[in-house]
């Protein structure tokens, strides 16, 4: 089972064009083919599960198309998308920003899906996707340290309540380094598949490890790669998993999507 994690920055790209005429103005430009290059990269990787951070669900940047849906069509797989801002957030009233979210794509059967929202921070979404063999949590944590602390406490509860082997992945924004994660990892028993702590940001000259893939002991990472891809400001992470024999956990019933606030 191959897992790909990628913060695609809404397909906006990097470089001089992104920062002209003013810094970060690329967030307000059309993707102009960069998403096609991202799709080509994903297709070459051949993942079974794809965790996408910073996905545009239909603003003018993406020609009013949901980027997750477009990638899923190309990959011939299922997808789950959700806005990173809760329905009662004031951001939902702001054009472009209200089209920003995260997504999970997979060629596996989806048993159930749930959307959770942290109580603290601007970026509050947790996507929980139950598959046959495991449960996947996808996150994009706050830029503020205090909010990240609260969010990690909430995420700890979700992970510990899961009935199957767990993969937790996302952009954790741990600007103070791995020490921010010590309590969370100790409480959940999760282990990073990136044993060497390879950095993932910024993509042209990586210095910081912001993107992580964690898993519980029932899952064994048999391969890990951080390819030097510069289609976004983050580098993607690729991990191959095997499930330890006889340790698949308990099955849960299939259910409709639920939106919860933590």
């Amino acid at each position: 089972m191959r897992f790909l994690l990628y913060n695609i920055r809404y397909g906006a790209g990097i470089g001089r064009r992104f920062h002209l005429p003013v810094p970060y103005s690329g967030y307000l430009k059309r993707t102009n083919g960069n998403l096609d290059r991202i799709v080509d990269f994903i297709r070459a990787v051949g993942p079974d599960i794809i965790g996408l951070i910073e996905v545009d669900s239909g603003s003018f940047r993406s020609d009013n198309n949901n980027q997750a849906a477009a990638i899923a069509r190309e990959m011939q797989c299922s997808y789950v998308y959700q806005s990173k801002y809760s329905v009662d957030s004031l951001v939902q009233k702001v054009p472009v920003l209200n089209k920003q979210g995260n997504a999970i794509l997979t060629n596996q059967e989806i048993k159930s899906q749930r959307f959770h929202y942290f109580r603290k921070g601007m970026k509050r979404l947790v996507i929980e996707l139950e598959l046959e063999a495991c449960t996947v949590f996808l996150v994009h944590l706050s830029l503020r340290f205090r909010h990240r602390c609260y969010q990690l406490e909430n995420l700890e509860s979700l992970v510990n309540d899961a009935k199957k082997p767990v993969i937790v992945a996302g952009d954790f924004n741990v600007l103070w380094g791995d020490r921010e994660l010590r309590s969370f990892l100790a409480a959940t028993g999760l282990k990073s598949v990136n044993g060497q702590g390879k950095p993932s940001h910024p993509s042209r000259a990586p210095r910081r490890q912001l993107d992580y893939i964690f898993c519980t002991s029932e899952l064994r990472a048999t391969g890990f790669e951080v390819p030097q891809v510069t289609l976004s400001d983050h580098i993607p992470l690729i991990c191959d998993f095997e499930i330890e024999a006889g340790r698949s956990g308990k099955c849960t019933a299939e259910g409709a999507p639920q939106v919860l606030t933590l």
Side-chain angles (χ1 to χ4, degrees):
M1 180 174 65
R2 173 162 287 188
F3 188 101
L4 168 67
L5 171 68
Y6 201 0
N7 182 326
I8 65 171
R9 203 188 207 183
Y10 310 108
I14 61 172
R16 287 189 63 188
R17 181 186 172 277
F18 182 82
H19 291 290
L20 290 176
V22 295
Y24 298 98
S25 59
Y27 282 121
L28 299 176
K29 297 178 182 177
R30 284 182 166 82
T31 59
N32 286 343
N34 193 51
L35 188 69
D36 293 335
R37 291 186 283 273
I38 291 173
V39 170
D40 289 342
F41 163 74
I42 294 174
R43 185 184 294 112
V45 172
D48 300 294
I49 308 171
I50 308 165
L52 294 180
I53 306 296
E54 296 193 350
V55 177
D56 190 307
S57 68
S59 77
F60 72 91
R61 293 182 301 199
S62 61
D63 294 325
N64 301 317
N65 294 313
N66 186 312
Q67 292 176 332
I71 296 173
R73 282 195 300 270
E74 292 294 328
M75 297 298 297
Q76 296 184 333
C77 64
S78 302
Y79 79 96
V80 172
Y81 167 90
Q82 184 74 355
S83 170
K84 65 174 64 177
Y85 311 112
S86 59
V87 292
D88 57 351
S89 171
L90 293 177
V91 180
Q92 291 288 3
K93 302 182 183 297
V94 181
V96 181
L97 296 184
N98 61 4
K99 299 298 184 181
Q100 297 183 164
N102 304 322
I104 301 178
L105 291 69
T106 183
N107 59 18
Q108 311 289 300
E109 180 184 358
I110 297 174
K111 295 295 185 180
S112 67
Q113 54 188 337
R114 304 173 79 188
F115 307 121
H116 311 272
Y117 285 95
F118 299 127
R119 295 188 182 279
K120 299 289 185 179
M122 285 288 291
K123 303 169 183 177
R124 301 186 179 191
L125 173 66
V126 183
I127 298 179
E128 177 184 353
L129 198 67
E130 182 196 351
L131 305 176
E132 180 67 35
C134 64
T135 296
V136 179
F137 294 95
L138 185 71
V139 301
H140 189 187
L141 299 191
S142 174
L143 288 169
R144 295 185 62 180
F145 172 73
R146 181 177 297 179
H147 289 167
R148 289 197 300 275
C149 291
Y150 290 126
Q151 290 177 345
L152 285 169
E153 289 180 3
N154 294 156
L155 186 58
E156 173 189 320
S157 298
L158 290 175
V159 171
N160 287 335
D161 286 343
K163 306 302 182 185
K164 289 184 175 181
V166 168
I167 296 173
V168 179
D171 180 351
F172 280 73
N173 276 322
V174 284
L175 303 178
W176 290 19
D178 284 354
R179 64 181 181 272
E180 290 190 37
L181 299 168
R182 288 173 185 166
S183 177
F184 168 70
L185 296 180
T188 58
L190 292 168
K191 302 293 183 184
S192 173
V193 302
N194 185 359
Q196 297 180 356
K198 294 179 180 179
S200 60
H201 183 272
S203 59
R204 283 189 171 173
R207 299 185 302 275
R208 300 183 293 190
Q209 186 181 5
L210 300 183
D211 305 281
Y212 290 83
I213 301 174
F214 302 112
C215 65
T216 49
S217 59
E218 300 93 343
L219 293 162
R220 182 168 65 91
T222 59
F224 177 75
E225 183 181 357
V226 185
Q228 300 301 301
V229 178
T230 55
L231 299 173
S232 170
D233 58 332
H234 288 247
I235 292 178
L237 309 184
I238 303 170
C239 185
D240 292 318
F241 287 105
E242 286 184 355
I243 297 180
E244 297 288 349
R247 304 186 67 181
S248 60
K250 299 178 181 178
C251 292
T252 57
E254 182 175 357
Q258 299 180 53
V259 179
L260 306 173
T261 300
L262 298 172

